[in-house]
Amino acid sequence: MPNYRIHKTEYIDETKRVSFKYDGKTYFGYEGDTLASALLANGIHLVGRSFKYHRPRGIVSCGAEEPNAICQIGSKKDLTEPNVRATELELYEGLEASSQNCWPNVKFDIGGINNFISPLIPAGFYYKTFMWPKSFWKKVYEPLIRLSAGLGKSPTEPDPDIYDHKYVHYDVLVIGGGVSGIIAAKMAAKNNFKTLLVDDKKILGGSTIYQNNESIKIDDKLSSEWLKNEIQEIKKLSNLSIKTRTSIAAYHGYNFLLAKENLTDHLPEEKKENKIRQRLWKIRAKKVVIATGSIERPLVFNNNDRPGILLSNSINKYLDYYGVTCGENIILFTNNDSAYETSISLHKKGIKNIIVDLRKSASSELIKQAESLGIKIYFNHVVTNTFGYRKINSLEIMKLSEDGNTTVGNKIKLSCDCLGMSGGWTPMVHMHTQSGGKLDFRDEDQVFLPKENSEDQISVGSCNGDFDLENIIDKTVNKINKFLDIDNQDYQDTNIICSKENDKRNIWLLPNKIPLGKTKCFIDFQNDSTAKDIKLALKEGFRSIEHVKRYTTTGMATDQGKLSNMHALGIIADTAGVKMGTLGTTTFRPPFTPLTFGTLVGRNVGKFFEVVRKTSMHEWHVKNNAEFENVGQWKRPWYYPKNGENMHDAVQRESKAARDSAGILDASTLGKIDIQGSDASEFLNRVYTNAWSKLAIGKCRYGLMLNEDGMVYDDGVTTRISENHYLMTTTTGGAANVLSKLEDYLQTEWPELDVYLTSVTDHYSTASICGPNSKKILNKLFPNLDLSDENFPHMSFKEDKLENINCRIMRISFTGEQSYEINIESKYGHSLWKMCIEAGKEFNLTPYGTETMHLLRAEKGFIIVGQDTDGTMTPSDLQMDWIVSKKKFDFIGKRSLYRSDTVREDRKQLVGLLTDDPKEILEEGAQIVSNVKSKPIDMLGHVTSSYFSPNLNKSIALAVVRSGKTMKGQKLIIPMENKNINVTVSDTIFLDKENKRLNA
Amino acid sequence: MFLINCPFCGERDQSEFSSGGEAHIVRPKQPTELSDDEWAEYLFMRKNIKGIQFERWNHVHGCRKWFNVVRDTSNDKILSVYKMGEKPPVNYK
């Protein structure tokens, strides 16, 4: 097996050999490697196929910007992870990785045929091709596209890993642990700012940490040696926290940032167990220093995507940090000085290399150094083509014309096994723009830079466009002193020597003799968009960068165009003949690198996904086989099946029992608001549609609450407990909103009212007993209470004790039966319930759930707010005009009741529906029409509630129908999929219109 | 995510608050006197300003108090907070 690890470095522990599998084959690397560096050490460049043309692709970079080396990690159904960047994944014993987007394998990939038919699949291919015939979309095109779409494979089972969230507050957050970040963090921490420094790598130091060029020195030391001392020093600072393997995902307003910390991804399987995998840090910082650095640009020329073509600086990092050379015969193609550092480094390790430089000439310390080492340099030359299928083996260069627009002279063919490219540097302005910052364009080296920095945020180092070390350190020190309003002298006497770049030449799309249409000049490696695609988009009329991006998909892959966006912009600017700075950029959206869903969700999975509220009787319901329904966050018994009953049978039995003898319902979940104060009556007058001043103490009244727009908002029974004390009940789902609404009016519109509101929903448990035998059961529970209709009539309230515990008993009814609601402090709720059940045994007291409750109230035509209403129903629409006071001067929503729209007679109004076939049960939500033949069919309304009533032995329904109030007796039709159901409009009250049962 | 300085509790995360729309819209004292248009003006019409906006906020997961906020919608900066019933600061128009 070839070995490209050519020297030892302090970052690779050669005593710790690590075995891993790639595409099923076992390889070895060392602790300290990334998957990418270990693959390169084994001579593997080819790691995937491109998305569209399935071209062989190799590792391009050494960091977060990697477009090609994205892998599928692991093979377990619950733990496999797609699209992991091999350049960031630290190697661990037992790692299993495989290449993506290829079949049957990366070396022989059937999809590679797309490369040869590429002229047939230009930009916008999908939009242009899959247009007709229309019927083909759903059955043919979409399934085919879906089959070929997507890069990796998602896990198919729930993620067993543990994730965590944590909030932290700091005075200063420094993003990025390169040279400028380290200086900023040190200055802040030494001046008493509580500081956090985060970096996405395993160790601090950025690209300076492996810098070993003799021409770049700080205080007479190699810059890497100097920086190591600095790192040792900041580790001692007590008010500096350092988080490595932590990347900022998002920078929101008010300096609120999200960071993902990798805790176990670098550990072998057995050490990952039971540990938190990733933690999402939610950081608030008073001030933020952005020191995220810059990434090297590729160059755009024909066949610039072959395996073995990397960014020049990445070749340098693989060499000096990992000890791995990317080839043995390397060519570096550049438009700036930084490739010379790589060249000199390679030369010193004995790796043969030559330089092809776009610039006509260049002079700087680095260039002199390279020249003196005898490194061959082709100035004013350009790479025009590359060769080699699975790896580059040679290339052609040509001389550039004076203006750089074309090539001249003869082709020179050079052999190589690796090509490094350097198109200059792009400052990482992601964080700055995510936080709302704007950008400026610097023409000189064609970079977007952070515009103004706000008082609580600053960019330093190369992300601010400061590229050479002297510039970086001097500017960082000055800016941080000013930013933090301190006078730190630590770097006053720091002596920096570095090479200064004097010459620049940038060409976004490099010239070629071959017509553009026949070249493959890749811009976005991951999404396979080429210079040709960009030009085509412009030709077809696209102008906005946002449109070109979407049409060509440039920058839309998992790498979000970190390497491609600038070239796309540059080519658009050149083609359209406009200045690049005027084009603007596409939006930099979070996250910076993809986040796992697990990290975002944290601990809120499984039973912690949502809060569950249970009544104190819950345990009894569970023991007695209840099926539950979610109402808001509450778990309410839905029905109690017995002996294998289905829902329909259980509900029929429960409903019949409630009317024939007695039923009991857990009504604890209804919202309860305690209202006290000398203006409590006046307050109720203003919030309900009916009058409250004359309600006697000890009496209950039903109230309807509207929104200011006149639409029904909530309803419930309120009891006057004493002169200035009421207990209001609300719907279960509306409780929190009603309280908020009442508080809003009290605090903002009527602060003069002396009223205090307290939510007591959780304080009381409620058992509601109804039916002809309910009075007898109550009598057993409260033998001393006079239950006669004279003493304790319908809509009244008594207090009594149950075994010394106070109970509030309301005689109110939502079923139309004689009915008592017993309220007791929640801790006694379970006992109360059991005592009720015990006392009711001889009367066949039957527990019933929400479904039976709904049926029983529908028989009586009582509405459920939210089921029979939808925020567009007035009291009059509900045929409840009786509850709207004509005398009251004002109440919430009163004025809206006679707006021109609310007095319309053809509004949808609540009616009853009876099916011609009494056994036919309508579907809730079904549309109602009068004529199925007209086209379009005029839809009159819809069914809101529908049940089979065991007490009436027929199907009943409530519905809202246009002008329904005037339609009693009229025949209507409910058209269903297979048949039309004939119905007759009826009264909304189906049972006991005279309310005889209330006092039976 | 905003940091909001509740006039009763101090600086808290936005997730503790709920927004209540435009501030200083007074409920008419005699709604019955109003024409449909005048009532509709109160009921439905709200400003949507780019720039300095007066808003109602409620510290719903805190002290549950309503208060007013002056916010520049163009950069989301909160310029001032003040209690219900207090006059808006004069330096913002």
Side-chain angles (χ1 to χ4, degrees):
Chain A
M1 203 171 278
N3 185 8
Y4 288 84
R5 196 169 317 261
I6 57 168
H7 71 111
K8 286 190 190 327
T9 81
E10 62 194 281
Y11 305 108
I12 297 296
D13 187 349
E14 294 205 8
T15 64
K16 291 186 180 145
R17 216 160 85 125
V18 176
S19 76
F20 67 100
K21 269 189 182 169
Y22 184 73
D23 278 342
K25 209 171 153 193
T26 302
Y27 298 93
F28 296 97
Y30 297 105
E31 202 169 295
D33 265 323
T34 59
L35 175 58
S37 70
L39 287 171
L40 289 170
N42 284 285
I44 296 168
H45 279 261
L46 173 59
V47 287
R49 291 280 176 156
S50 70
F51 184 54
K52 194 167 156 188
Y53 305 125
H54 289 252
R55 283 167 68 98
R57 288 285 164 79
I59 297 161
V60 170
S61 74
C62 57
E65 68 271 36
E66 177 61 37
N68 291 344
I70 54 174
C71 315
Q72 185 87 29
I73 302 302
S75 53
K76 290 184 192 159
K77 281 181 179 171
D78 51 355
L79 282 171
T80 186
E81 191 177 348
N83 301 340
V84 176
R85 290 166 301 285
T87 51
E88 292 193 304
L89 181 69
E90 292 177 42
L91 202 65
Y92 56 84
E93 183 64 37
L95 168 68
E96 276 181 46
S98 51
S99 45
Q100 297 182 166
N101 204 37
C102 49
W103 185 86
N105 63 53
V106 70
K107 286 184 186 154
F108 177 77
D109 171 24
I110 292 283
I113 190 133
N114 284 5
N115 187 34
F116 300 102
I117 60 163
S118 65
L120 305 177
I121 41 180
F125 166 68
Y126 294 98
Y127 311 121
K128 289 167 182 161
T129 310
F130 301 115
M131 300 283 288
W132 24 249
K134 208 174 156 191
S135 60
F136 265 44
W137 176 253
K138 212 167 173 186
K139 296 214 166 96
V140 184
Y141 296 145
E142 196 185 353
L144 266 177
I145 291 171
R146 287 201 182 278
L147 201 67
S148 62
L151 292 164
K153 286 187 184 69
S154 301
T156 51
E157 283 176 13
D159 187 349
D161 281 327
I162 308 165
Y163 300 86
D164 196 33
H165 286 185
K166 201 164 179 178
Y167 286 87
V168 282
H169 295 257
Y170 283 93
D171 294 328
V172 177
L173 166 68
V174 181
I175 311 169
V179 64
S180 52
I182 286 167
I183 290 171
K186 180 173 157 188
M187 290 173 70
K190 282 186 82 171
N191 284 276
N192 296 323
F193 291 95
K194 190 186 163 205
T195 306
L196 173 67
L197 172 64
V198 300
D199 193 89
D200 60 348
K201 299 282 191 303
K202 179 182 151 192
I203 61 158
L204 295 177
S207 58
T208 310
I209 202 73
Y210 54 88
Q211 215 288 326
N212 64 2
N213 193 290
E214 294 288 336
S215 68
I216 303 168
K217 287 200 161 176
I218 306 175
D219 289 344
D220 263 347
K221 290 183 205 133
L222 283 176
S223 55
S224 50
E225 293 306 319
W226 179 85
L227 192 61
K228 279 174 209 161
N229 273 338
E230 288 290 297
I231 293 170
Q232 286 312 314
E233 248 187 77
I234 63 166
K235 282 183 177 166
K236 293 178 203 149
L237 296 173
S238 61
N239 54 348
L240 174 67
S241 309
I242 300 171
K243 294 233 154 283
T244 51
R245 297 191 174 108
T246 303
S247 56
I248 300 290
Y251 189 160
H252 298 293
Y254 286 70
N255 281 353
F256 180 70
L257 296 95
L258 299 178
K260 179 196 73 173
E261 183 183 17
N262 266 335
L263 295 162
T264 63
D265 281 354
H266 58 288
L267 299 176
E269 290 302 334
E270 71 273 12
K271 287 193 182 163
K272 289 187 208 276
E273 268 173 39
N274 299 320
K275 288 193 183 128
I276 294 165
R277 181 188 172 202
Q278 290 170 352
R279 176 174 282 136
L280 188 73
W281 290 88
K282 301 182 173 185
I283 308 167
R284 282 272 187 198
K286 290 194 183 113
K287 287 176 178 272
V288 174
V289 179
I290 302 170
T292 46
S294 51
I295 42 183
E296 197 167 21
R297 291 173 179 169
L299 287 161
V300 180
F301 52 91
N302 191 22
N303 292 316
N304 60 343
D305 67 325
R306 296 192 192 282
I309 304 182
L310 292 88
L311 295 170
S312 146
N313 185 258
S314 298
I315 294 176
N316 198 355
K317 180 163 184 181
Y318 286 119
L319 183 70
D320 287 338
Y321 186 96
Y322 298 103
V324 175
T325 181
C326 295
E328 287 162 327
N329 179 17
I330 298 179
I331 296 174
L332 297 167
F333 179 27
T334 185
N335 67 1
N336 67 90
D337 280 6
S338 54
Y340 288 77
E341 262 184 78
T342 309
S343 167
I344 293 160
S345 233
L346 287 165
H347 185 89
K348 278 199 275 186
K349 309 283 174 341
I351 305 292
K352 195 182 136 203
N353 71 90
I354 56 177
I355 295 175
V356 179
D357 196 327
L358 278 186
R359 298 174 295 182
K360 289 171 186 163
S361 66
S363 63
S364 69
E365 277 309 308
L366 276 172
I367 286 155
K368 279 180 211 155
Q369 210 184 334
E371 279 170 339
S372 71
L373 291 171
I375 295 167
K376 168 82 182 153
I377 304 168
Y378 289 93
F379 278 115
N380 201 26
H381 273 72
V382 60
V383 174
T384 53
N385 207 352
T386 69
F387 306 94
Y389 184 59
R390 284 178 199 151
K391 194 176 173 196
I392 186 168
N393 58 31
S394 59
L395 52 76
E396 279 171 1
I397 64 170
M398 283 178 85
K399 207 171 172 187
L400 271 170
S401 65
E402 186 63 24
D403 59 6
N405 288 337
T406 179
T407 51
V408 292
N410 295 324
K411 287 178 193 162
I412 305 169
K413 194 152 181 174
L414 303 168
S415 69
C416 64
D417 62 354
C418 173
L419 171 65
M421 49 185 174
S422 178
W425 294 83
T426 300
M428 301 297 278
V429 294
H430 296 65
M431 291 296 131
H432 172 81
T433 53
Q434 273 187 26
S435 76
K438 301 275 180 283
L439 298 174
D440 265 338
F441 190 71
R442 186 165 73 194
D443 281 313
E444 173 196 334
D445 52 356
Q446 313 256 298
V447 290
F448 284 99
L449 300 174
K451 202 171 186 170
E452 76 288 349
N453 282 298
S454 67
E455 59 193 45
D456 48 18
Q457 183 227 87
I458 199 170
S459 294
V460 295
S462 68
C463 74
N464 194 44
D466 305 328
F467 290 122
D468 71 64
L469 206 54
E470 189 181 357
N471 220 348
I472 289 173
I473 295 176
D474 285 353
K475 281 197 177 174
T476 299
V477 171
N478 284 336
K479 287 178 96 172
I480 295 296
N481 268 330
K482 217 169 136 195
F483 180 58
L484 299 178
D485 195 20
I486 54 176
D487 184 22
N488 182 293
Q489 302 284 334
D490 283 0
Y491 301 96
Q492 185 84 345
D493 304 317
T494 305
N495 178 31
I496 308 149
I497 301 166
C498 66
S499 173
K500 293 271 180 188
E501 185 173 281
N502 300 315
D503 309 277
K504 299 190 190 305
R505 187 183 202 184
N506 188 52
I507 303 170
W508 290 113
L509 173 58
L510 295 162
N512 206 314
K513 283 274 189 284
I514 311 167
L516 186 66
K518 294 194 171 157
T519 64
K520 285 250 163 42
C521 305
F522 285 94
I523 289 175
D524 185 321
F525 294 104
Q526 199 173 112
N527 265 355
D528 265 358
S529 47
T530 62
K532 181 174 64 182
D533 295 327
I534 302 271
K535 292 221 175 194
L536 180 67
L538 287 167
K539 212 172 177 180
E540 293 184 4
F542 292 92
R543 284 295 173 268
S544 155
I545 171 67
E546 296 283 5
H547 290 153
V548 174
K549 167 181 166 171
R550 282 157 184 80
Y551 192 58
T552 63
T553 71
T554 304
M556 288 175 70
T558 62
D559 60 340
Q560 289 286 290
K562 291 185 181 74
L563 292 182
S564 59
N565 283 345
M566 286 305 124
H567 299 81
L569 273 173
I571 291 168
I572 294 169
D574 288 350
T575 310
V578 297
K579 286 206 164 204
M580 191 164 159
T582 63
L583 278 177
T585 63
T586 52
T587 311
F588 296 87
R589 288 195 180 83
F592 176 67
T593 47
L595 282 177
T596 57
F597 282 115
T599 313
L600 290 171
V601 176
R603 303 262 175 178
N604 299 327
V605 290
K607 62 179 177 177
F608 300 119
F609 180 67
E610 197 184 25
V611 174
V612 172
R613 298 174 84 182
K614 294 171 185 169
T615 71
S616 43
M617 292 85 152
H618 188 82
E619 204 184 310
W620 190 94
H621 305 319
V622 173
K623 269 192 201 150
N624 286 273
N625 218 9
E627 291 290 332
F628 288 91
E629 179 182 31
N630 295 329
V631 184
Q633 291 163 331
W634 287 104
K635 293 273 172 209
R636 296 198 71 178
W638 192 9
Y639 58 98
Y640 300 81
K642 263 189 179 172
N643 312 322
E645 277 174 328
N646 62 19
M647 175 163 148
H648 179 261
D649 292 344
V651 169
Q652 297 291 305
R653 172 181 53 76
E654 290 170 13
S655 306
K656 196 118 182 48
R659 293 228 188 272
D660 290 351
S661 178
I664 181 166
L665 172 82
D666 180 355
S668 309
T669 63
L670 284 186
K672 302 182 230 15
I673 301 172
D674 187 88
I675 303 175
Q676 300 193 38
S678 55
D679 293 317
S681 305
E682 171 61 16
F683 180 65
L684 290 173
N685 265 334
R686 295 188 191 184
V687 299
Y688 279 129
T689 60
N690 46 350
W692 289 78
S693 314
K694 286 181 187 150
L695 183 69
I697 293 167
K699 297 286 179 192
C700 314
R701 182 165 287 172
Y702 174 76
L704 201 58
M705 198 182 289
L706 308 183
N707 259 331
E708 207 66 272
D709 62 6
M711 304 303 154
V712 172
Y713 181 70
D714 202 79
D715 68 345
V717 170
T718 297
T719 304
R720 191 167 197 176
I721 290 172
S722 67
E723 177 66 22
N724 294 326
H725 186 188
Y726 290 85
L727 183 69
M728 173 189 277
T729 61
T730 72
T731 58
T732 298
N737 292 336
V738 169
L739 179 70
S740 288
K741 181 183 161 91
L742 299 184
E743 285 178 332
D744 187 352
Y745 275 91
L746 265 184
Q747 288 179 36
T748 66
E749 300 295 350
W750 310 319
E752 73 279 8
L753 293 184
D754 175 38
V755 176
Y756 302 89
L757 306 173
T758 310
S759 167
V760 292
T761 306
D762 296 300
H763 302 43
Y764 292 96
S765 290
T766 310
S768 173
I769 300 175
C770 77
N773 283 322
S774 58
K775 195 179 276 177
K776 290 176 194 155
I777 297 166
L778 259 280
N779 190 43
K780 283 179 77 181
L781 291 164
F782 302 98
N784 300 324
L785 185 63
D786 179 357
L787 291 163
S788 67
D789 291 343
E790 295 71 40
N791 181 60
F792 195 178
H794 180 58
M795 296 309 266
S796 64
F797 152 77
K798 296 285 173 201
E799 281 181 292
D800 198 8
K801 286 190 192 304
L802 187 65
E803 298 206 348
N804 265 339
I805 309 300
N806 276 330
C807 291
R808 287 171 168 172
I809 308 158
M810 282 82 170
R811 184 169 169 187
I812 52 179
S813 176
F814 192 40
T815 59
E817 295 298 316
Q818 193 177 116
S819 173
Y820 298 88
E821 289 195 356
I822 309 165
N823 292 274
I824 197 164
E825 259 186 80
S826 282
K827 59 183 167 186
Y828 305 114
H830 196 218
S831 306
L832 166 71
W833 184 266
K834 284 197 289 194
M835 288 170 81
C836 293
I837 296 286
E838 193 54 40
K841 258 188 186 156
E842 59 178 297
F843 303 104
N844 185 31
L845 177 64
T846 301
Y848 66 91
T850 49
E851 193 61 25
T852 293
M853 173 186 85
H854 287 179
L855 191 160
L856 294 173
R857 64 86 208 180
E859 289 177 337
K860 285 289 296 173
F862 294 147
I863 59 156
I864 290 186
V865 172
Q867 176 160 347
D868 303 299
T869 73
D870 60 0
T872 67
M873 304 295 286
T874 66
S876 178
D877 295 339
L878 296 167
Q879 305 214 38
M880 290 172 78
D881 304 77
W882 54 270
I883 202 172
V884 180
S885 163
K886 302 273 185 300
K887 290 183 197 146
K888 280 203 293 184
F889 172 70
D890 193 15
F891 55 82
I892 297 171
K894 176 172 170 125
R895 175 61 186 84
S896 291
L897 295 180
Y898 51 95
R899 289 178 58 235
S900 56
D901 187 58
T902 39
V903 296
R904 264 192 306 120
E905 301 214 323
D906 61 347
R907 291 177 62 82
K908 283 185 183 168
Q909 293 150 352
L910 190 75
V911 295
L913 292 181
L914 292 171
T915 47
D916 289 4
D917 172 3
K919 295 257 175 299
E920 182 82 65
I921 307 168
L922 297 175
E923 254 181 57
E924 289 174 359
Q927 293 291 325
I928 302 166
V929 305
S930 60
N931 178 359
V932 284
K933 299 222 167 73
S934 70
K935 277 191 178 168
I937 299 181
D938 191 15
M939 293 192 286
L940 302 177
H942 64 274
V943 178
T944 60
S945 298
S946 171
Y947 309 90
F948 186 81
S949 161
N951 301 300
L952 298 161
N953 199 24
K954 65 179 178 190
S955 155
I956 56 166
L958 295 172
V960 291
V961 177
R962 193 196 301 158
S963 304
K965 280 193 216 174
T966 61
M967 293 175 88
K968 207 159 151 187
Q970 221 166 298
K971 295 269 180 199
L972 292 173
I973 302 163
I974 316 268
M976 299 303 289
E977 212 168 353
N978 317 319
K979 60 181 170 187
N980 295 324
I981 304 170
N982 296 314
V983 295
T984 308
V985 178
S986 74
D987 203 52
T988 54
I989 305 169
F990 301 98
L991 181 125
D992 187 25
K993 277 188 188 126
E994 305 75 25
N995 288 332
K996 281 185 190 155
R997 304 179 71 99
L998 283 174
N999 292 308
Chain B
M1 191 153 43
F2 302 169
L3 266 184
I4 300 174
N5 191 11
C6 170
F8 305 92
C9 306
E11 220 166 52
R12 295 287 191 280
D13 206 282
Q14 186 183 347
S15 56
E16 293 185 14
F17 297 85
S18 70
S19 162
E22 193 180 335
H24 300 297
I25 295 175
V26 180
R27 189 174 187 273
K29 287 272 175 272
Q30 299 191 310
T32 45
E33 308 274 293
L34 302 181
S35 69
D36 268 12
D37 282 352
E38 286 165 333
W39 180 247
E41 182 68 29
Y42 160 73
L43 198 56
F44 301 121
M45 304 313 278
R46 297 292 182 271
K47 290 178 195 139
N48 185 12
I49 296 167
K50 182 180 182 184
I52 291 172
Q53 180 163 291
F54 297 80
E55 303 173 336
R56 289 154 24 96
W57 285 77
N58 184 9
H59 195 184
V60 63
H61 300 297
C63 65
R64 295 191 68 86
K65 284 283 194 186
W66 284 90
F67 57 94
N68 295 312
V69 164
V70 186
R71 182 171 67 101
D72 187 338
T73 60
S74 68
N75 59 15
D76 275 346
K77 291 276 175 272
I78 291 175
L79 305 168
S80 179
V81 294
Y82 53 102
K83 292 178 185 172
M84 276 295 154
E86 289 179 357
K87 289 234 153 36
V90 286
N91 38 334
Y92 304 112
K93 275 271 157 61

